[in-house]
């Protein structure tokens, strides 16, 4: 056995880790704040009814995801040791909107509750950061709306040096108009499918499209009706 074979063997550990993670189903808040080109109503509906097993992610991508989880865990542990942690990675279902969401952390300090969004990035991006990344702000704002907590923190860690930045955010209702609109439309498509099996068109023409290759609804999306039924939750 040589180094290349051992490297390949170790790389497969990341796939094993990914397969050990619980499968998501239903609407998730983080899916409603992604960019316009990536957002797909068909995928949102499919993940409410069928097993999600279509993603084709490389070991490198999975390693990046796992590293992010480790950084999250570090800060959650620190908040807990400081006595300010209220909850961490707690999955919440908001019945009014029929949506799941999982804030990185909710902390209490200075007589206020804060939702904390934790992100990490490479040094070459970190050093030029002047404000919180828009994706992190959108996600934080949506969580603040759903939980009626109007103070938030975006925490950004430098992956190279472990330096970090803090950005304070106040709730802005303008920021949640688009995800709420998407959620309303997706709910209509979900009802249509539930009552008439009418499935909204998707973004991808082929399962080989770049967006499809990273979509967890890929298999269900391109299956025949008979094949899709075998995936029903």
């Amino acid at each position: 056995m040589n180094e290349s074979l051992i490297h390949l063997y170790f790389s497969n550990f990341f796939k094993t880790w990914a397969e050990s993670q619980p499968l998501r189903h239903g609407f998730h808040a983080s899916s409603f704040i992604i960019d316009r080109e990536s957002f797909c109503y068909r995928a949102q509906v499919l993940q409410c009814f069928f097993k999600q097993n279509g993603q084709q992610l490389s070991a490198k991508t999975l390693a990046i995801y796992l590293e992010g989880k480790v950084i999250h865990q570090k800060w959650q542990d620190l908040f807990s040791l400081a006595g300010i942690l209220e909850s961490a990675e707690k999955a919440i279902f908001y019945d009014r909107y029929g949506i799941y969401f999982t804030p990185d952390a909710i902390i209490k300090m200075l007589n206020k509750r804060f939702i904390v969004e934790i992100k990490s990035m490479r040094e070459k991006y970190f050093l030029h950061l002047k404000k919180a990344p828009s994706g992190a702000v959108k996600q934080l704002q949506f969580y603040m709306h759903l939980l009626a907590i109007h103070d938030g923190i975006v925490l950004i860690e430098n992956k190279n040096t472990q330096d970090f930045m803090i950005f304070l955010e106040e709730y802005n209702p303008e920021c949640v108009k688009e995800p709420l609109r998407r959620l309303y439309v997706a709910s209509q498509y979900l009802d249509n499918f539930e009552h008439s099996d009418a499935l909204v068109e998707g973004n991808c023409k082929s399962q080989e499209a770049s967006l499809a290759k990273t979509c967890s609804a890929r298999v269900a999306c391109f299956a025949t009706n008979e094949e899709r039924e075998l995936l029903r939750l």
Side-chain angles (χ1 to χ4, degrees), residues 157-202:
E157 178 167 313
N158 183 329
K159 290 182 178 181
N160 299 72
T161 66
Q162 287 68 60
D163 290 334
F164 64 94
M165 293 184 187
I166 295 294
F167 297 95
L168 294 175
E169 298 288 336
E170 294 182 350
Y171 174 63
N172 180 356
E174 291 296 315
C175 291
V176 300
K177 285 185 176 180
E178 179 59 14
L180 288 175
R181 184 196 68 79
R182 287 179 174 180
L183 182 56
Y184 174 78
V185 175
S187 298
Q188 302 305 303
Y189 285 134
L190 184 147
D191 288 341
N192 289 344
F193 181 72
E194 192 167 27
H195 295 107
S196 66
D197 285 337
L199 191 56
V200 61
E201 287 294 316

